[in-house]
């Protein structure tokens, strides 16, 4: 059987050196571990994020945080909001040492009218004062939130500056069935969903669009890309 492990490649003196990422103590024998994004505040301070399978009945697939301090990587099971059944971190931005914002998704099972539905919601894990704290991003007004529909709002990437201003991007399912690009801004600790504009030739009905990455150089402007 395959045994998927996460790994880190480090470039030093012109050569790349791989190392298998360590995992939390509750990792399954076949962890199916994945790292999706990394951000380094300095040459000896980095955070990488992803997910893994765990031997834990409460959260079978937790989100994963790998922290580089000096020359050693330490694995951490990322905290999730209450009632989460699984989590996945796909983006991280660390504007300063010990200050990071990681984004992704978490799943919650609910049982309205006897029908089990899995909602996928925007996950935010924030590192401040040495501790990671989970929270949820904003739900766009046009998102599908009907009682008997599966809600799907997903963060994929983010960018934060030293002032605390953050931009997060991804995709969400609208109430009309379209999958639309998601853009959100965090200011003063609050996430606000904005509106993104599709190219003029985008399909008007049955759209499937997502923003996957964003970068904001100094000066108040950002550039985001997707499909």
């Amino acid at each position: 059987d395959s045994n998927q492990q996460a790994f880190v490649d480090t470039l030093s003196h012109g050569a790349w050196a791989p190392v298998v990422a360590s995992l939390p103590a509750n990792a399954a024998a076949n962890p199916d571990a994945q790292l999706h994004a990394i951000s380094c505040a300095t040459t000896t301070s980095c955070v990488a994020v992803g997910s893994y399978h765990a031997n834990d009945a409460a959260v079978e697939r937790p989100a994963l945080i790998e922290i580089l301090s000096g020359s050693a990587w330490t694995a951490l099971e990322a905290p999730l909001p209450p009632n989460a059944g699984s989590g996945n971190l796909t983006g991280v931005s660390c504007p300063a040492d010990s200050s990071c914002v990681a984004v992704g998704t978490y799943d919650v099972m609910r049982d309205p009218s006897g029908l089990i539905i899995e909602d996928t919601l925007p996950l935010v894990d924030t590192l401040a004062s040495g501790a990671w704290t989970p929270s949820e991003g904003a739900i766009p007004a046009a998102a599908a939130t009907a009682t008997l529909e599966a809600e799907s709002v997903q963060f994929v990437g983010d960018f934060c500056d030293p002032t605390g201003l953050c931009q997060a991007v991804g995709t969400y399912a609208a109430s009309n069935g379209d999958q639309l690009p998601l853009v959100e801004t965090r200011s003063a600790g609050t996430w606000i969903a904005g509106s993104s504009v599709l190219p003029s030739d985008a399909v008007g009905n049955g759209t499937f669009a997502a923003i996957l990455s964003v970068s904001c150089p100094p000066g108040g402007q950002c550039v985001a890309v997707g499909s």
Side-chain angles (χ1 to χ4, degrees):
D1 292 337
S2 63
N3 189 343
Q4 181 164 299
Q5 302 283 347
F7 78 101
V8 178
D9 252 336
T10 302
L11 175 65
S12 180
H13 304 292
W16 288 93
V19 59
V20 176
S22 61
L23 295 175
N26 65 350
N30 183 353
D32 187 27
Q34 304 174 26
L35 290 173
H36 301 297
I38 188 169
S39 180
C40 297
T42 70
T43 57
T44 58
S45 176
C46 297
V47 172
V49 296
S51 65
Y52 70 102
H53 275 304
N55 292 317
D56 189 325
V59 180
E60 180 180 356
R61 189 169 184 86
L64 172 63
I65 297 173
E66 299 274 355
I67 302 170
L68 174 66
S69 180
S71 60
W73 288 92
T74 302
L76 172 70
E77 178 182 347
L80 299 176
N83 303 320
S86 64
N88 187 24
L89 290 170
T90 51
V92 61
S93 182
C94 300
D97 191 16
S98 301
S99 175
C100 297
V101 176
V103 298
T105 60
Y106 74 100
D107 295 328
V108 175
M109 303 296 292
R110 57 190 177 93
D111 186 5
S113 304
L115 177 66
I116 296 178
I117 294 175
E118 184 177 50
D119 286 335
T120 300
L121 302 173
L123 170 64
V124 180
D125 266 316
T126 303
L127 173 63
S129 302
W132 289 91
T133 303
S135 61
E136 183 181 307
I139 305 300
T145 57
T147 302
L148 298 180
E149 293 179 351
E151 192 170 346
S152 179
V153 182
Q154 306 175 43
F155 281 151
V156 179
D158 69 326
F159 185 94
C160 300
D161 68 21
T163 70
L165 181 66
C166 291
Q167 304 287 339
V169 295
T171 184
Y172 72 97
S175 56
N176 66 355
D178 288 345
Q179 194 76 26
L180 299 177
L182 175 67
V183 290
E184 297 198 12
T185 300
R186 188 191 72 171
S187 181
T190 299
W191 288 96
I192 300 171
S195 59
S196 60
V197 179
L198 289 170
S200 60
D201 61 350
V203 175
N205 185 18
T207 296
F208 188 93
I211 298 178
L212 307 178
S213 185
V214 60
S215 182
C216 304
Q221 296 183 344
C222 294
V223 178
V225 296
S227 63

